[in-house]
Amino acid sequence: MAEMIFKGYKKKVVGAVRVPGDKSISHRAVIFGAIAHGETKIEGFLTGDDCLSTLSCMRQLGAEVERDGETVMVKGSGFNGLKEPENVLDVGNSGTSIRLLMGLLSARPFHSVLVGDASIHRRPMDRIMAPLEKMGGQLFGRANNRLAPVAINGTKLEAVTYNSPIASAQVKSALLLAAIQTEGQTTINEPYLSRDHTERMIRAFGGEIKTSKASCSLNGPQKLTGTTIKVPGDISSAAFFIAAALITPGSELKIESVGVNPTRTGLLDVLKDMGADISVNNPRELNNEPVADLVIRHSQLKSTTVGGEMIPKLIDEIPILALLATQAEGETVIRDAAELKVKETNRIQTVTTQLNKLGADIRETEDGMIITGHPGQPLTGGKVESFGDHRIGMMLAIAGQVAKQGVTLEGSEAISVSFPSFVKLLETVR
Ligand code: S3P
């Protein structure tokens, strides 16, 4: 396990950066490129381990995929162009890969097996398998069809209306990837709207999908056409730099070309409420996705309460929000976030235990946490662990900005899952 030391105490964060491409959009661009007809060019593809897993799975399925740095060319010949893989498809640590591929492959007329690392094999897959089974899918998993590895006997599916009990873009996207190959209208209703990159991408590839509030409907089968996808910077990666600038006195940082899709900007909304000085400049669109430049200045934050429909809009940012709350005046409450327990780690537990080791004051609750902020009072610092979770690793690295004795991070290699250039980029702004 790699160990790294982060000593950022009082080192102000200044300058301008671009963060790597959006993880959710990069996964989808390769998958849709492979099932579309013709050539797709992806610019700004995220070269983190997770997206590389999707890329290699799509190659094993017969898609022609060439990568040169952050540019990926995909030649697709429709979903009928995919072929039975000769070996198991290994998604590594990537929940998005395994879940989206389950949807795609359940409607292909061949056998496939999806495997991943130890974390993937602990995470729930029944949330995808159960609705796909309603469509007639034949999927088989460990522990009563709950866990991966998952074996799929692809077959012809039937369109359904599915009322999802959770707001999950992975569930919705898996079903849409099945529905786009299936005769008839499939409708998905969510309790709250989850990230809508799949819906936007279907349109970018010339497909049709109806959306209204937290529902979407698609008539299949549809023929998609290859296109150029310019991937915006990942707001979930930008979040670590936003936090570093907000909590370090004297900081002023510009982050260029960040995706600001409203289903992803919950952190910006909450931070505004907490008194953060963040301007969103030069709004524009790239392939139906809103993009802007952000300017962040050090700010004295105050506490807040976060729950309900806000949670899916910032689910991946809760670890870094917890760190920010340690520096805010008052008690911050995060609730309705039990989903955190089934991420790469149980993030309620890993955030609480690791930040408390650094001197924070956080209490775990059933569906979130309560953070008592002590503004102006630095964390002590010490030795902590990522537990193989990229977002926990990066959050703890940023905690080094307010930890007097620095942060020694074990398991720092996990960072490459979503942000391989994180440490280098952090050095350029301090
Ligand atoms: C993702 C959806 C979210 C998110 C994950 C990426 C996606 O997961 O946490 O990092 O790309 O669809 P859920 O769908 O499980 O909420």
Side-chain angles (χ1 to χ4, degrees):
M1 224 177 352
E3 189 177 279
M4 284 193 83
I5 297 173
F6 294 90
K7 284 199 161 160
Y9 187 55
K10 289 200 170 164
K11 277 196 201 164
K12 61 185 178 192
V13 175
V14 285
V17 286
R18 260 173 198 253
V19 294
D22 188 274
K23 181 156 81 72
S24 294
I25 297 176
S26 296
H27 282 296
R28 287 159 172 79
V30 184
I31 296 175
F32 279 101
I35 62 167
H37 289 261
E39 241 175 40
T40 289
K41 183 178 189 187
I42 309 166
E43 294 173 9
F45 178 78
L46 171 62
T47 59
D49 300 341
D50 269 12
C51 296
L52 295 178
S53 293
T54 291
L55 202 141
S56 81
C57 290
M58 294 318 292
R59 277 194 183 129
Q60 275 181 267
L61 287 162
E64 272 183 64
V65 186
E66 299 285 341
R67 182 173 74 85
D68 180 6
E70 294 181 351
T71 302
V72 175
M73 298 297 302
V74 188
K75 256 191 215 154
S77 28
F79 33 79
N80 284 319
L82 300 182
K83 64 169 182 48
E84 182 170 275
E86 285 170 13
N87 207 334
V88 296
L89 301 167
D90 189 349
V91 302
N93 188 243
S94 177
T96 306
S97 310
I98 193 165
R99 293 188 174 132
L100 268 55
L101 290 179
M102 280 164 69
L104 175 71
L105 295 174
S106 59
R108 289 294 78 226
F110 53 70
H111 177 73
S112 52
V113 180
L114 291 158
V115 303
D117 69 5
S119 155
I120 281 293
H121 288 189
R122 281 192 296 267
R123 298 178 64 186
M125 297 301 148
D126 44 340
R127 56 181 56 196
I128 313 281
M129 295 169 80
L132 285 172
E133 276 161 14
K134 278 196 177 184
M135 294 178 79
Q138 293 180 25
L139 300 99
F140 311 89
R142 287 189 305 127
N144 257 330
N145 284 344
R146 210 165 45 78
L147 300 176
V150 175
I152 303 169
N153 287 340
T155 186
K156 205 169 165 32
L157 302 181
E158 275 170 33
V160 294
T161 292
Y162 183 63
N163 297 320
S164 176
I166 41 174
S168 160
Q170 292 179 351
V171 171
K172 174 172 61 179
S173 305
L175 297 185
L176 287 174
L177 280 161
I180 206 157
Q181 307 173 61
T182 301
E183 189 80 41
Q185 176 171 303
T186 293
T187 299
I188 303 153
N189 302 313
E190 299 188 275
Y192 305 122
L193 180 63
S194 65
R195 64 188 66 190
D196 63 357
H197 303 300
T198 302
E199 296 92 304
R200 289 170 187 264
M201 195 164 288
I202 286 173
R203 292 186 184 123
F205 276 88
E208 277 180 32
I209 180 163
K210 275 187 259 156
T211 51
S212 157
K213 293 188 186 132
S215 295
C216 60
S217 291
L218 180 151
N219 262 304
Q222 286 190 28
K223 187 174 170 186
L224 303 175
T225 311
T227 186
T228 296
I229 299 286
K230 297 182 181 179
V231 184
D234 195 327
I235 191 160
S236 299
S237 299
F240 300 104
F241 283 76
I242 294 172
L246 285 176
I247 58 180
T248 317
S251 299
E252 177 164 339
L253 182 69
K254 183 174 182 186
I255 312 180
E256 290 164 343
S257 199
V258 181
V260 287
N261 178 320
T263 61
R264 293 284 299 282
T265 49
L267 182 71
L268 298 183
D269 303 336
V270 167
L271 285 173
K272 209 169 166 200
D273 263 11
M274 293 174 81
D277 181 351
I278 302 178
S279 21
V280 179
N281 303 328
N282 192 16
R284 53 206 187 267
E285 279 214 348
L286 284 181
N287 324 106
N288 302 336
E289 287 282 353
V291 176
D293 303 325
L294 308 179
V295 177
I296 305 104
R297 293 180 194 87
H298 168 252
S299 308
Q300 185 47 64
L301 302 176
K302 54 183 193 314
S303 61
T304 189
T305 293
V306 187
E309 67 181 314
M310 184 56 87
I311 296 295
K313 295 190 174 105
L314 50 57
I315 187 75
D316 292 341
E317 286 66 73
I318 292 177
I320 196 70
L321 178 60
L323 172 67
L324 285 159
T326 68
Q327 303 303 303
E329 183 77 55
E331 210 174 68
T332 292
V333 179
I334 298 170
R335 58 173 178 237
D336 307 321
E339 268 296 301
L340 290 174
K341 294 180 183 170
V342 290
K343 293 295 177 188
E344 285 81 335
T345 56
N346 173 344
R347 286 184 176 160
I348 296 182
Q349 198 178 67
T350 44
V351 165
T352 307
T353 56
Q354 301 312 292
L355 276 179
N356 283 349
K357 271 197 210 168
L358 298 176
D361 187 353
I362 310 183
R363 256 184 306 133
E364 245 186 70
T365 63
E366 247 324 288
D367 63 351
M369 54 194 104
I370 299 172
I371 305 126
T372 307
H374 298 285
Q377 192 182 313
L379 300 178
T380 48
K383 195 167 185 162
V384 284
E385 194 182 333
S386 73
F387 293 95
D389 185 333
H390 54 129
R391 298 203 196 282
I392 297 298
M394 289 186 276
M395 179 275 284
L396 293 169
I398 298 299
Q401 294 296 121
V402 286
K404 244 180 166 168
Q405 297 149 30
V407 169
T408 303
L409 174 66
E410 275 191 66
S412 59
E413 69 283 352
I415 291 173
S416 66
V417 157
S418 64
F419 200 162
S421 57
F422 170 80
V423 174
K424 249 197 194 149
L425 209 59
L426 189 59
E427 278 165 11
T428 66
V429 292
R430 284 199 312 210

